[in-house]
Amino acid sequence: MGSLNSLLDTALGYAARGWPVLPLEPRGKRPHGTLVPHGLRDAITDAKTILGWWASQPDSNIGIVTGGAAGFDVLDVDGEEGAASLAALERAHGPIPSTWEALTGGGGRHLFFVHREGLRNAVRFAPGLDVRADGGYIVAPASVHPSGRPYAWEVAHYPEDGPLAPWPAWLLDLIASGSPRGGAAIPGENAAGAIVEGERNATLASLAGTMRRRRMTEEAIRSALLVENEYRCRPPLEATEVTRIAGSVAGYPPEASVDVVLDASGFAGLKAPVSGERLETILGSLGTVAKEATPLRRTVLREQAVSRLRAAGVGSPVAMVDAALGKQGGAPAEEGGKQGQALELESPVPWPEPVDGAALLDELDATFRKYVVLPPHAPEALALWVPHTYTWEAGADFSPRLSVTGPTKRCGKSRVLEVLAGLVNRPLSTENLTPPALFRAVERYKPTLLVDEGDALLNGAEGLRGLLNAGQRRGGSVLRTVGEDFEPRAFSVFGPVALAAIGNLPDTVRDRSIVIPMRRKARAESVARMRLAEFRQETTTLRKKLARWARDHEAELLRARPALPEALDDRAADGWEPLLAIADAAGDAWPERAREAAIALSAERGEEDGSIGVRLLGDLRNLFETRGADRLPSQEVAEALAAMEERPWAEWGRVRRPITPPAVARLLRPFGIVPRSIRLPGGRTPKGYHRADFEDPWGRYLPEGGAPTRHSATRLENPGVGDESMTAPAPGRGTSEASPESPDSLGCGGVAVTAPVSADGCRVCGSREVWWALCGEYRCRRCHPPGPGAEAG
């Protein structure tokens, strides 16, 4: 398969020549629908856009639009049949002039000629010979054929090796007439590609139906049909009849009756015998319209199509229609014996006009507020995460998990996922998931995964948790062996995921998440009632606008390097970076709103860090500070930890007993902290810890300048730590009347004060409750309760 460098470099080289290029499906010939939803109309020479396409889908084949856009047309010589036809024509009319030539991966040839004004595509004007001109494209050299063989320039026929030849006049005459001249005996003159008398109306109606379902206007349909009629119909219909067909089909909406849809697909007037080409055309058209149909309509279309084919004498009509429509709910058809239903994930058709990004985000924000009671800043985070599901493939390095959590049932978690399902790109909702299903679905469908009941799903599921964690960054993959020869293959797991859970999700998942903490709706709060089917319909326009905005800003987001708030740790900054890039691209007030949300939801997460070791560091920082000591004995550390409320230390380990000094030492060892002999006032030298040994880990793992974690058990009941002679100063002495001893010598035991509460409140926690003095600083009773001998003022 072609490498990223070779395919991308080649595409950029073609664009530099002024040839409009577009990405095709890997090892395929069709335009890559995700990247170029408008097909040939999206072809471009802009290097930045091309870079974004191949950065997102590095194995995409290269297409070049032919005709006036590139300055050349192409004679497509298809395999042995085309080679025989061309040889017969050259014997009758003379050799084709030397020109640029490429070898196709399927064993054919592409001969390039100077573009002839007015020349359009001609399909099978002779057996095995097609023309790619205005309205067409080719698969370009460096691409890879489905067989694995490459497309390549013929030796000595590169564009650099000689001039581009003009079309031979005799060949243009043959193309215009649609049949070979000069007496050359070419078998199959009326071969596949020509629309013979008796099939012209139905085939053109089928083509018109396909174009109508793609929202083409009547004028566009008429123009396309006139070209098809001129080059393929034998003999061509009158122009008025073609115009009538276009007007008739353009007059019905996609939701027209089943009979109208079938007639427009080519079933009208179907009589035996029915050629294989016509069967393929009408069934392909039927499959296209059925993709947008409801399950009920798909079922009715299936039954009526089978009935019409059977009446026309077509054998095995059920198998043919099932192949065209695919697996349907409730239908007995099987897909190669597979169980279940095939995944059909929606990628919306982009809105036809440019979209204002700020207004789009405002509308998303309002949608979430309409249906869900959310905590502050959560609507902004959700509104930014939705367009991320449309843009992550274009170059985002990270895709933050969205963790919607609540303490109990009925907090609105599932409703958030339901709203997301109506807005995001390619939603895939589930309440159960296995690792193989996850990595195969992500690799094949690139979904936005919406997982409810995440707490139950991830309980003990280490493999699944690892895949969800790996998928947060670009390049995250899982290695598996496949096939009878156990070939190692990498499956991508990178992509957007939202999870809902009661309680907290696993620490590692939470660390990679933007957490939305939900609460149960209060009696005074109200939201609009949401009906899922109606909501999905209501948000159709929003999804199309999201697709258009994402397409228009892919290149900008690929280059974006948004300013990240310093308050975010590295992991949080990684997750917020693609969302802040979206906010910056949208403009207006969103850059500021997005950063406020990032800081409110994700800054200073150290106190909530799920790592048990980091929790211990936070509790010990609190212990050292409240006791005002520079050293603490191991036994007293363990006892103080065990007395802390709402912490795990009181029921530690499998035996669920208070934590012991050896257990504390084991938890601290990875941070480079080990107990050693310390000297206490009074002469005792127990094993313990020096505060200085914690300063570096505290700076690395806990919030800078953040308030320590506080617990009611960490009171100053022993302010002197081992020094029985130390007592607190008398009550009523403020900082201006402090004792002559320094705070260190007092062990920061605490001094009661009568100072009034300032307008700013406590400098540590912001409370405006009664204060007292600690080490020369005012602090409140609530976060630092005074010990014995320190009365509140």
Side-chain angles (χ1 to χ4, degrees):
M1 186 173 290
S3 69
L4 169 61
N5 287 338
S6 64
L7 288 167
L8 173 59
D9 291 347
T10 304
L12 290 172
Y14 293 150
R17 291 177 174 270
W19 301 346
V21 302
L22 72 159
L24 309 179
E25 294 177 349
R27 290 199 176 191
K29 299 181 180 182
R30 295 185 300 180
H32 202 302
T34 302
L35 303 179
V36 284
H38 298 93
L40 304 192
R41 288 184 291 166
D42 290 333
I44 202 168
T45 58
D46 178 67
K48 294 178 181 178
T49 302
I50 295 169
L51 178 63
W53 284 339
W54 267 271
S56 172
Q57 299 290 337
D59 290 327
S60 296
N61 275 349
I62 306 169
I64 300 178
V65 173
T66 54
F72 57 73
D73 307 317
V74 172
L75 175 64
D76 185 359
V77 183
D78 189 10
E80 295 181 358
E81 181 186 35
S85 291
L86 184 59
L89 291 173
E90 288 185 295
R91 286 194 297 270
H93 300 281
I96 293 289
S98 178
T99 188
W100 304 346
E101 183 176 342
L103 304 178
T104 70
R109 301 157 62 199
H110 284 162
L111 301 176
F112 293 71
F113 299 98
V114 176
H115 172 59
R116 180 63 174 250
E117 191 68 30
L119 183 62
R120 295 189 60 83
N121 288 344
V123 180
R124 297 281 174 164
F125 71 91
L129 298 180
D130 301 329
V131 173
R132 302 285 181 249
D134 284 335
Y137 70 98
I138 59 166
V139 183
S143 300
V144 182
H145 190 264
S147 65
R149 293 188 296 270
Y151 290 73
W153 291 103
E154 174 67 284
V155 176
H157 290 272
Y158 289 85
E160 295 83 1
D161 292 334
L164 183 63
W167 281 99
W170 60 265
L171 189 52
L172 286 175
D173 289 341
L174 291 178
I175 295 169
S177 66
S179 60
R181 295 178 182 175
I186 301 178
E189 185 167 332
N190 294 320
I195 306 173
V196 298
E197 193 170 1
E199 296 185 359
R200 297 172 297 176
N201 290 68
T203 303
L204 291 182
S206 175
L207 294 172
T210 300
M211 290 184 277
R212 176 58 181 150
R213 284 184 292 278
R214 294 174 180 172
R215 302 295 192 265
M216 291 178 64
T217 65
E218 180 180 348
E219 182 180 356
I221 294 172
R222 182 173 62 252
S223 298
L225 290 186
L226 287 171
V227 172
E228 291 296 309
N229 179 57
E230 179 182 354
Y231 286 110
R232 295 182 60 194
C233 290
R234 303 287 183 271
L237 292 169
E238 294 293 332
T240 54
E241 177 63 11
V242 176
T243 300
R244 186 198 64 78
I245 294 172
S248 174
V249 173
Y252 79 86
E255 59 273 13
S257 70
V258 169
D259 288 335
V260 170
V261 170
L262 289 173
D263 289 344
S265 296
F267 285 80
L270 197 64
K271 297 179 181 179
V274 183
S275 69
E277 180 195 14
R278 185 174 182 188
L279 268 177
E280 186 175 7
T281 299
I282 63 177
L283 289 173
S285 179
L286 180 64
T288 300
V289 72
K291 289 181 180 179
E292 300 178 6
T294 64
L296 176 60
R297 167 157 288 208
R298 285 168 61 93
T299 302
V300 176
L301 283 171
R302 175 180 181 274
E303 297 301 321
Q304 291 299 311
V306 169
S307 176
R308 292 200 187 193
L309 290 179
R310 187 174 286 126
V314 175
S316 304
V318 174
M320 290 186 179
V321 174
D322 284 343
L325 299 183
K327 176 74 173 177
Q328 303 171 53
E334 297 183 0
E335 298 174 80
K338 300 176 183 177
Q339 298 178 341
Q341 299 183 27
L343 294 180
E344 294 183 5
L345 307 185
E346 179 195 6
S347 290
V349 177
W351 193 247
E353 301 173 355
V355 175
D356 182 285
L360 180 62
L361 291 176
D362 287 341
E363 192 171 356
L364 292 170
D365 180 284
T367 301
F368 282 104
R369 294 178 189 270
K370 177 180 178 181
Y371 291 107
V372 195
V373 174
L374 292 164
H377 303 289
E380 289 86 352
L382 291 166
L384 290 165
W385 195 81
V386 168
H388 168 68
T389 67
Y390 291 79
T391 61
W392 64 275
E393 290 183 88
D397 291 328
F398 297 92
S399 183
R401 277 65 192 101
L402 194 64
S403 293
V404 187
T405 64
T408 185
K409 297 180 293 183
R410 294 188 287 115
C411 289
K413 304 178 298 297
S414 298
R415 179 50 50 88
V416 172
L417 294 190
E418 289 166 355
V419 177
L420 287 171
L423 297 171
V424 300
N425 190 31
R426 296 194 294 275
L428 177 56
S429 300
T430 183
E431 295 180 358
N432 202 338
L433 191 65
T434 63
L438 172 62
F439 67 73
R440 293 182 188 278
V442 172
E443 172 70 33
R444 180 171 180 178
Y445 297 102
K446 303 294 185 292
T448 297
L449 197 60
L450 306 175
V451 182
D452 207 350
E453 309 292 345
D455 49 321
L457 179 66
L458 295 177
N459 183 23
E462 297 296 333
L464 189 57
R465 185 187 310 177
L467 294 184
L468 289 174
N469 291 340
Q472 185 244 2
R473 70 185 187 282
R474 180 172 294 279
S477 63
V478 59
L479 192 64
R480 293 291 187 272
T481 57
V482 299
E484 296 181 356
D485 57 352
F486 300 100
E487 178 189 1
R489 303 281 291 182
F491 293 81
S492 172
V493 291
F494 177 52
V497 178
L499 305 103
I502 294 177
N504 286 332
L505 288 162
D507 299 335
T508 53
V509 176
R510 185 180 178 88
D511 191 43
R512 291 164 171 80
S513 298
I514 295 172
V515 179
I516 308 297
M518 302 294 292
R519 299 178 301 173
R520 186 171 289 182
K521 183 177 61 176
R523 289 185 176 87
E525 296 172 320
S526 63
V527 293
R529 185 169 181 81
M530 189 178 80
R531 290 176 172 79
L532 298 181
E534 294 177 3
F535 178 71
R536 184 78 183 166
Q537 187 66 29
E538 291 170 5
T539 54
T540 298
T541 297
L542 257 179
R543 294 194 300 275
K544 291 182 177 181
K545 288 183 176 180
L546 282 161
R548 175 58 186 260
W549 188 89
R551 191 191 74 179
D552 291 347
H553 291 80
E554 278 186 359
E556 179 181 355
L557 294 176
L558 183 64
R559 301 189 302 268
R561 299 294 183 270
L564 302 171
E566 294 184 0
L568 300 182
D569 60 51
D570 289 345
R571 184 86 75 184
D574 289 343
W576 276 95
E577 183 175 21
L579 306 194
L580 296 179
I582 290 170
D584 291 347
D588 199 23
W590 275 95
E592 182 179 355
R593 291 177 66 183
R595 285 165 177 81
E596 289 177 357
I599 293 171
L601 295 174
S602 301
E604 298 189 357
R605 301 187 300 171
E607 293 183 21
E608 301 179 359
D609 195 305
S611 165
I612 198 68
V614 174
R615 290 187 189 183
L616 179 59
L617 288 177
D619 289 343
L620 290 180
R621 183 173 71 175
N622 175 54
L623 187 63
F624 271 105
E625 183 168 337
T626 55
R627 295 202 173 183
D630 67 347
R631 66 200 70 187
L632 289 172
S634 295
Q635 186 62 41
E636 292 190 25
V637 166
E639 291 173 356
L641 290 171
M644 291 181 179
E645 297 176 1
E646 299 180 359
R647 302 305 259 182
W649 320 122
E651 297 181 343
W652 183 251
R654 288 179 295 177
V655 295
R656 314 288 289 179
R657 294 177 181 174
I659 195 167
T660 61
V664 174
R666 284 194 295 271
L667 290 174
L668 292 175
R669 189 175 299 120
F671 299 101
I673 302 171
V674 295
R676 49 197 172 107
S677 296
I678 61 173
R679 182 174 296 279
L680 297 177
R684 290 193 301 125
T685 56
K687 289 288 185 179
Y689 300 93
H690 283 270
R691 180 188 181 110
D693 294 337
F694 289 85
E695 296 293 348
D696 181 71
W698 285 342
R700 293 179 184 275
Y701 298 101
L702 300 182
E704 182 179 355
T709 310
R710 302 164 186 100
H711 306 279
S712 59
T714 54
R715 298 176 180 272
L716 301 183
E717 295 176 351
N718 187 9
V721 187
D723 186 353
E724 294 83 353
S725 66
M726 291 188 177
T727 59
R733 295 175 61 181
T735 54
S736 61
E737 300 175 354
S739 87
E741 290 88 358
S742 68
D744 288 338
S745 68
L746 290 174
C748 296
V751 180
V753 296
T754 57
V757 178
S758 74
D760 295 332
C762 172
R763 66 178 294 276
V764 175
C765 73
S767 171
R768 300 187 62 188
E769 298 183 17
V770 180
W771 286 16
W772 65 298
L774 176 66
C775 296
E777 297 179 354
Y778 287 121
R779 305 192 181 189
C780 71
R781 281 179 72 91
R782 189 179 69 178
C783 69
H784 290 286
E791 299 178 2

